Amino acid sequence: MSHDTEVSLAYRHPGLGITAEHLAGQPATALSVAAREAEVLVLGSRGLGRASGRLFDPVALAW
C-alpha cells in the first residue's frame, strides 16, 4: 500500500486504525506472520482485467 493510499483510507474512514507495512521475504510466509499479529488482514488486487478467470495466484494458493 502506498503512503497516498494509506492517507486516503484514513481520511475516508476516520474511526478505523490503518497501518501499512512493506514486508520482506516470501509473500505467503510474510503475510502469514502478519496475520497472526493482526485483527484483520486485508489483501487487495489491482484489478482483474482479462485474468478474471485466474483468481488464484501463487500467494493465494499457498494459503
Side-chain angles (χ1 to χ4, degrees):
M1 174 184 323
S2 73
H3 178 71
D4 291 342
T5 303
E6 184 178 2
V7 169
S8 175
L9 286 169
Y11 177 78
R12 290 186 308 192
H13 306 282
L16 186 62
I18 296 172
T19 60
E21 296 180 48
H22 289 273
L23 304 174
Q26 294 295 319
T29 303
L31 290 170
S32 180
V33 170
R36 288 185 208 129
E37 301 172 4
E39 280 187 51
V40 177
L41 181 67
V42 178
L43 304 177
S45 170
R46 293 188 175 167
L48 296 175
R50 292 182 152 226
S52 61
R54 297 179 188 175
L55 295 177
F56 297 105
D57 65 17
V59 174
L61 289 173
W63 288 51

